[in-house]
Amino acid sequence: MKKILITLLLITSASLYAADVPLKVPHPKPRLIGTQVAVNIGNLDRSDGLPAESIKVPENAKNIALNKPVTSSDPAPIIGELELVTDGEIDAEEGYYVELDVNQQWVQIDLEKPSTIYAIVVWHFYSQARAYKDVVIQISDDPEFKKDVTTVFNNDEDNTAKLGKGDDKHYIDTHKGRIFPVKAVKGRYVRLYSSGNTANQNNHYIEVQVIGTQQ
Amino acid sequence: MDETKKLSSLSRRDFLIKSSVLGAGLSIGLPKIARAQAAGSPANELNIALIGVGEQGRVLMGSLLNIPGLRFRAVCDIWEYYRSAAKNRIKKAKGYDVATYEDIDEMLAQEKDLDAAVIATPDFWHSPHSVKCLNAGLNVYCEKMMSNTVEGARAMVQAMQSSGKLLQIGHQRRSNPRYRYVLDQLIKKNGIIGKLTAINGQWNRSVSEDLNWPKKHVIDEAKLQKYGFENMHQFRNWRWFKKLSGGMISDLGAHQIDIFNWYTGRHPASVMAVGGVDYYKTHEHYDNVMSFYEYDMGGYFARAFYQVQTTTTSGGGFFETFMGDEGTIVISENPAHTKIYREDRTASIAERMKVWDKLTSDGILRAVETPAAEKDPTIVDVRESAPAAMFDLPIVLNKAIHQPHLENFFDAIRGKTKLTCDGKEAFESEVPIYAVNPAVEAQTKVFFKEDDFKI
C-alpha cells in the first residue's frame, strides 16, 4: 500500500513538475483564393496572434481533440461533416471544412476523459481573409454547458450571443490558426461559438486542436 | 371580378409572361403587380433555377437568398459536392427542399414552371446553357464573360432576341449605385473630370497554387469528359484552360474593361496587348496581360491601359481610373480604393472651383482632407506637384456587390425596370475583350470594324 502511494505521489509530482516546452502548432501553406472581401469590423487585432513558441505547455501535452466526437447546434451542416473539425487535416481546400448555418452556431468537442487544457488552436477558414463574429470559447465538465463553465475567449463585445460581454478583440483567421492560451483549465468538453463572419453569415471550421493532458 | 381574382385565375407564369410581353402597356399592368406583391401573393413569386453552384454560384446565392419574392425550384451542377451544399443552404434559409440535377437537359425537361435561370457555370458552358434556357422560355441571368468565344456570345444574343426573353449578363458594376452615381452625376451631369483623355485599370491578384479537390469527392473521368473536362485538375482549374475559359483578361479584366466602354459610351477603335505564361507551369492562359485601347472620342483619342496580374502580390488591388484635364476619378468595388481628385492648376480653375465647391456643399461630393506633404527643410524638391484636392463619394452600397444586379434582373422580369446590362449591350462591350488574347498572339494592333459588333 505504501509502495503504491509513493508511486502515485511520484507520478503526480512528475506530472505537476513536468518541464514546460514551447507549443508546436502545424502551419499549413497560406492559401488566399479569389476576390478578397474587406474586413469591416471594429476592435480588430490585425496581428497573427501569439506565436506558438511563446506559449509553454507541459512536455506531455498534445492535441487531445484528435478524432474526438463533435456535436453542434447545427447537426446537419451545409457543407461537410462535423468530424472534419477534429480529423487532423488542416487544409483550406474544398472538402476539408464544415460550413454551419447562419447566425449563432456552436460546435462542441467531447474529449471523452477528464482533461487539463493548456491551449486551444482554431482554424475557422483561411482561403479568404475573414474575421468571425462573437467568437466565444468555453470549457466545462457539463455537456450542456449550464454549470462550471470557464470562458477562455470572448470577443462578443455587445453580448449578441447572450453569454456575457467579452473584451477580447476580433481577429483575422490565417493558415497559422489562432492560438488561445489556457491556464490549465480542467474539463471534458470544449464548446466554440461564432455568429457568422465579415464575408458572409455562415460559420466554418477547418480544424480545432485542444492541447492538453489526460489521465 | 376584382383584380385579385383576375390575377389568381391566370397561372403565375402566364401572368408574368403577359406582363412582360405587354411592355409599354405596363403603365396599366404595374399597379396590379404592386398590389399582388403587397398582399404577398405567391402568384408574384418567381420560380428560379440555379445552374452552376460552385465558387461564383455560391456568391450569387448569398445575394439571392436576401431577395424577396423568389422561389428556388432547382439546382443543377455536375459535382454532387456543390449540389448538396446548395440544396442544404436553401433548405436552411427557406425551409423547403429544392430539386437537384446533374444535367441541365434533364432539369429543363422536368421543371416546367421556371421563370428564370441564374447561370454560373464555367465560361465555355455559358452560351450553351443560356441558349437552352432562353429557348425553353426562361429569363436568364448569366455570369460574365458571356462565353469563351465571341461566336458563343453572339449566339446568346440571337437566342435572347428570338425568344423574347430577358438576358442579363453579370457585369454587376452596372447596377452598383456607386458606379452609376459616378457616371450619371459626376461624369455626365457635372462633367467634373473635364475632357476625358486617359483611362487606367488593373486587377492584381496574388500568386496562388492551383485548386485541389477532396479525394472522397472525385468525379469519375467518364462524367468529367461528358461535360467537357479532361480530369479533376482541369475541372477545378478551368479558368486557366483555353477551351474552357477566356483566361484572366476575361475572368478579371472583363469587369473593368466593361466599365471603360460603359463610361465612354463607345467601343474602342483598336487594341494591342502583350502577355505570357511566365510564372505557372500548369496554365495554358496568359498569367499576366497588359493591354492598350484607343477610344475615338470624336476629334481626339483617349487611350486606356489595362493590366491583369496573377504573378505578383495583390498590392494596389483593383480599380478603374478615369483621367480628364480637370479631375481624376478612381473607382473600385472596394470603397477604400475609390477617390476623386481635382486638378488645381488648370487655367479655368477659378471658375471650376466654384462648381466643385457647390457640388461639395450640395452633398454631391464629399471633401476629404488632403494629407499635408511632409516638410523637410533641408530638401527642396521642385519636381513634386502639390497634392491634388481629394474627394470621396457620398454614397455607400450596403448590400453584397452582386445583389443590386440580380435585383435589377428580377425587377425587369416583373416589368418594373430595364436591364442594366442586357445581352446585346454586354456583347458590344465584350467584343474588345475577346480581342485581347488574339492581339497578344498576333503581336500587332487590332482595329475593330463595325461588323465585329453586329449580331
Side-chain angles (χ1 to χ4, degrees):
Chain A
M1 184 65 186
K2 196 176 177 183
K3 256 186 182 174
I4 294 168
L5 280 174
I6 290 168
T7 309
L8 276 174
L9 192 63
L10 284 172
I11 291 169
T12 309
S13 305
S15 168
L16 279 174
Y17 298 103
D20 282 351
V21 297
L23 174 65
K24 287 183 181 169
V25 172
H27 281 185
K29 289 179 187 174
R31 193 170 186 81
L32 285 173
I33 297 169
T35 305
Q36 299 300 304
V37 177
V39 179
N40 289 325
I41 197 165
N43 196 28
L44 178 66
D45 175 5
R46 289 198 172 270
S47 79
D48 286 352
L50 294 168
E53 58 274 16
S54 72
I55 297 165
K56 301 290 189 286
V57 299
E59 196 168 16
N60 59 338
K62 61 178 183 180
N63 176 19
I64 53 176
L66 185 63
N67 296 321
K68 295 292 167 58
V70 179
T71 52
S72 174
S73 54
D74 181 4
I78 293 169
I79 299 175
E81 305 83 33
L82 293 173
E83 293 76 44
L84 294 170
V85 178
T86 56
D87 70 347
E89 294 202 76
I90 309 167
D91 192 323
E93 260 292 355
E94 295 294 340
Y96 295 92
Y97 65 87
V98 62
E99 178 175 285
L100 307 177
D101 204 356
V102 298
N103 303 323
Q104 187 193 45
Q105 302 295 340
W106 52 259
V107 293
Q108 181 170 316
I109 302 166
D110 178 2
L111 300 170
E112 295 186 316
K113 289 180 186 175
S115 309
T116 306
I117 298 168
Y118 299 95
I120 295 170
V121 193
V122 181
W123 290 262
H124 276 287
F125 194 87
Y126 60 87
S127 61
Q128 184 179 43
R130 300 174 176 176
Y132 282 77
K133 299 175 181 174
D134 306 329
V135 174
V136 181
I137 303 175
Q138 297 181 326
I139 299 169
S140 179
D141 268 326
D142 174 16
E144 301 296 320
F145 277 75
K146 288 181 177 167
K147 59 182 181 180
D148 302 327
V149 175
T150 303
T151 299
V152 297
F153 184 85
N154 183 345
N155 66 15
D156 180 9
E157 58 193 353
D158 53 6
N159 198 23
T160 307
K162 308 293 181 206
L163 298 165
K165 275 176 75 169
D167 296 330
D168 293 311
K169 291 192 167 189
H170 299 112
Y171 63 92
I172 297 173
D173 271 69
T174 75
H175 65 289
K176 296 176 182 174
R178 195 71 174 189
I179 305 170
F180 304 97
V182 180
K183 293 177 180 172
V185 173
K186 294 184 186 304
R188 175 174 159 173
Y189 303 95
V190 175
R191 186 180 278 197
L192 303 99
Y193 296 83
S194 61
S195 303
N197 63 82
T198 50
N200 57 57
Q201 296 175 304
N202 291 92
N203 298 278
H204 306 85
Y205 293 89
I206 292 171
E207 190 74 11
V208 174
Q209 291 193 348
V210 178
I211 309 301
T213 55
Q214 293 181 314
Q215 290 174 355
Chain B
M1 189 183 284
D2 66 20
E3 290 303 325
T4 313
K5 282 178 183 166
K6 276 185 199 168
L7 269 177
S8 61
S9 69
L10 291 170
S11 80
R12 183 197 43 72
R13 189 173 178 184
D14 282 347
F15 170 73
L16 290 162
I17 290 169
K18 287 177 197 303
S19 300
S20 106
V21 169
L22 277 171
L26 279 172
S27 57
I28 299 166
L30 272 172
K32 296 180 187 173
I33 300 168
R35 280 198 293 277
Q37 277 182 312
S41 165
N44 205 46
E45 213 168 40
L46 294 173
N47 286 335
I48 66 167
L50 310 183
I51 300 165
V53 284
E55 297 290 338
Q56 187 60 19
R58 281 186 213 172
V59 170
L60 296 182
M61 200 191 306
S63 290
L64 289 165
L65 289 170
N66 290 327
I67 299 175
L70 303 180
R71 179 81 185 186
F72 295 80
R73 291 287 182 191
V75 164
C76 182
D77 199 291
I78 71 164
W79 203 11
E80 196 279 336
Y81 177 80
Y82 281 157
R83 279 200 308 273
S84 62
K87 181 184 170 79
N88 292 343
R89 179 168 294 152
I90 293 165
K91 173 82 173 178
K92 284 181 188 295
K94 299 292 183 184
Y96 55 76
D97 282 312
V98 63
T100 59
Y101 297 91
E102 174 194 305
D103 190 275
I104 189 172
D105 291 328
E106 188 191 345
M107 186 196 83
L108 291 174
Q110 295 289 326
E111 302 291 333
K112 292 296 183 191
D113 202 24
L114 293 173
D115 298 302
V118 176
I119 298 174
T121 46
D123 287 0
F124 76 112
W125 277 118
H126 285 176
S127 180
H129 287 168
S130 295
V131 170
K132 281 174 192 281
C133 290
L134 289 163
N135 288 342
L138 277 60
N139 300 288
V140 170
Y141 179 107
C142 182
E143 262 302 332
K144 55 81 97 156
M145 288 279 276
M146 296 174 76
S147 171
N148 58 326
T149 67
V150 72
E151 294 79 16
R154 189 174 276 115
M156 291 168 74
V157 185
Q158 288 165 348
M160 176 188 83
Q161 292 175 335
S162 63
S163 68
K165 308 309 291 186
L166 299 180
L167 172 62
Q168 171 96 313
I169 302 301
H171 291 286
Q172 76 273 359
R173 285 165 175 78
R174 291 201 181 215
S175 297
N176 185 321
R178 296 173 60 256
Y179 274 80
R180 297 196 72 82
Y181 185 88
V182 165
L183 179 60
D184 296 339
Q185 282 290 330
L186 304 186
I187 295 178
K188 283 185 176 172
K189 186 173 178 185
N190 291 294
I192 65 163
I193 62 172
K195 179 179 175 181
L196 175 68
T197 51
I199 307 170
N200 175 41
Q202 70 168 45
W203 196 316
N204 290 352
R205 180 170 278 181
S206 58
V207 295
S208 62
E209 294 179 4
D210 285 357
L211 296 175
N212 211 326
W213 57 94
K215 299 295 173 273
K216 62 183 173 185
H217 295 294
V218 167
I219 305 173
D220 68 72
E221 290 213 347
K223 186 186 290 185
L224 285 168
Q225 286 163 14
K226 175 184 171 188
Y227 292 107
F229 305 95
E230 288 177 14
N231 49 44
M232 274 304 281
H233 177 262
Q234 208 178 71
F235 170 68
R236 292 287 287 139
N237 297 279
W238 56 266
R239 294 170 196 275
W240 294 110
F241 291 90
K242 287 186 176 176
K243 69 174 185 177
L244 312 179
S245 135
M248 288 300 108
I249 196 71
S250 157
D251 197 31
L252 300 175
H255 280 300
Q256 300 171 290
I257 297 167
D258 175 59
I259 303 304
F260 294 2
N261 300 332
W262 180 36
Y263 274 18
T264 57
R266 68 204 69 208
H267 59 74
S270 67
V271 63
M272 55 185 187
V274 292
V277 191
D278 299 309
Y279 194 85
Y280 295 99
K281 306 296 180 200
T282 55
H283 298 176
E284 289 178 1
H285 270 305
Y286 304 129
D287 52 33
N288 66 101
V289 179
M290 295 181 176
S291 57
F292 306 85
Y293 289 103
E294 290 180 310
Y295 289 84
D296 184 347
M297 304 299 286
Y300 76 99
F301 279 87
R303 293 190 172 79
F305 169 69
Y306 181 78
Q307 69 165 348
V308 58
Q309 300 291 340
T310 63
T311 61
T312 63
T313 70
S314 59
F318 52 97
F319 56 80
E320 304 90 55
T321 304
F322 293 83
M323 291 169 271
D325 56 0
E326 293 182 350
T328 293
I329 296 172
V330 186
I331 176 85
S332 172
E333 273 189 332
N334 183 346
H337 291 164
T338 300
K339 284 287 173 290
I340 298 150
Y341 300 94
R342 183 186 65 211
E343 181 55 66
D344 286 353
R345 65 168 180 73
T346 54
S348 59
I349 192 59
E351 204 54 42
R352 295 299 295 164
M353 285 271 282
K354 290 179 194 166
V355 175
W356 284 71
D357 287 347
K358 180 152 189 343
L359 292 175
T360 308
S361 63
D362 288 351
I364 292 169
L365 283 174
R366 192 168 63 81
V368 177
E369 194 172 341
T370 308
E374 284 188 21
K375 297 287 183 193
D376 182 343
T378 64
I379 299 172
V380 178
D381 189 343
V382 295
R383 296 166 300 180
E384 190 176 347
S385 301
M390 196 158 65
F391 300 81
D392 205 348
L393 295 180
I395 56 170
V396 294
L397 171 63
N398 58 3
K399 296 176 178 175
I401 54 174
H402 298 86
Q403 191 166 328
H405 206 45
L406 288 158
E407 288 170 342
N408 170 257
F409 172 58
F410 297 117
D411 283 348
I413 294 174
R414 292 188 170 100
K416 293 179 178 178
T417 188
K418 281 182 168 180
L419 292 178
T420 55
C421 189
D422 85 352
K424 185 167 183 296
E425 200 169 341
F427 173 78
E428 289 167 357
S429 184
E430 289 190 5
V431 166
I433 304 166
Y434 291 112
V436 172
N437 288 336
V440 174
E441 285 164 27
Q443 297 189 347
T444 186
K445 186 189 275 191
V446 174
F447 291 90
F448 297 106
K449 304 182 293 295
E450 282 311 309
D451 279 354
D452 296 336
F453 299 88
K454 287 185 179 160
I455 302 304

